[in-house]
């Protein structure tokens, strides 16, 4: 059993900031070990495919970002809390989407199909 639960979404004005969190729980993550999991943030707007936002290595702490997120979004972690964060700033209307966190054992890339565990998503809406 493994669950990922996102929170922190909401409605903000363009140029504003928002911080999302994702907490992992359940036997699956405990058995494999929290430091052996790659984590990712993805987003999906209506009528569009789910797309890569950011990933973080829970062992080495390295992070990757989609080009449009660089300089605006920051992914971080707190392993003691089994939680991954996504800090978003300088938000734009085109950032409006449901944001999902995902987990996969070992090293993973930027494709959603590489991640077998997903949260329920949290809505982020950015107004003009």
């Amino acid at each position: 059993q493994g669950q990922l639960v996102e929170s922190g979404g909401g409605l903000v004005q363009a140029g504003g900031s928002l911080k999302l969190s994702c907490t992992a729980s359940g036997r699956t993550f405990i058995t494999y070990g929290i430091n052996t999991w790659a984590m990712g943030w993805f987003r999906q707007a209506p009528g569009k495919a789910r797309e890569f936002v950011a990933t973080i290595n829970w062992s080495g702490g390295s992070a990757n970002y989609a080009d449009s997120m660089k300089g605006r979004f920051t992914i971080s972690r707190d392993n003691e809390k089994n939680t991954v964060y996504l800090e978003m700033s300088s938000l734009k209307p085109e950032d409006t989407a449901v944001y999902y966190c995902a987990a996969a054992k070992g090293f993973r890339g930027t494709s959603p199909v590489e991640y077998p565990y997903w949260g329920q998503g949290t809505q982020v809406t950015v107004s003009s």
Side-chain angles (χ1 to χ4, degrees):
Q1 299 292 319
Q3 300 90 238
L4 302 171
V5 180
E6 307 97 330
S7 63
L11 174 64
V12 299
Q13 290 184 300
S17 300
L18 207 60
K19 184 176 182 178
L20 309 182
S21 64
C22 172
T23 300
S25 63
R27 297 172 185 173
T28 297
F29 298 111
I30 296 174
T31 299
Y32 285 135
I34 199 68
N35 291 331
T36 68
W37 291 82
M39 295 290 299
W41 283 97
F42 299 81
R43 69 186 185 185
Q44 187 167 21
K48 298 183 66 177
R50 196 163 298 187
E51 65 175 344
F52 164 68
V53 174
T55 57
I56 189 167
N57 186 328
W58 279 11
S59 295
S62 61
N64 291 308
Y65 300 91
D67 288 342
S68 63
M69 320 301 171
K70 293 179 180 178
R72 299 192 301 123
F73 290 11
T74 301
I75 187 170
S76 61
R77 66 184 181 185
D78 186 336
N79 286 342
E80 286 80 9
K81 297 181 179 179
N82 294 335
T83 300
V84 175
Y85 303 96
L86 183 68
E87 295 177 279
M88 304 181 291
S89 62
S90 301
L91 285 164
K92 307 172 182 179
E94 51 263 43
D95 293 319
T96 296
V98 176
Y99 284 71
Y100 300 88
C101 68
K105 185 73 171 63
F107 178 81
R108 292 293 186 272
T110 61
S111 174
V113 302
E114 300 179 68
Y115 293 81
Y117 293 92
W118 292 85
Q120 83 286 356
T122 184
Q123 177 71 48
V124 173
T125 302
V126 184
S127 62
S128 300

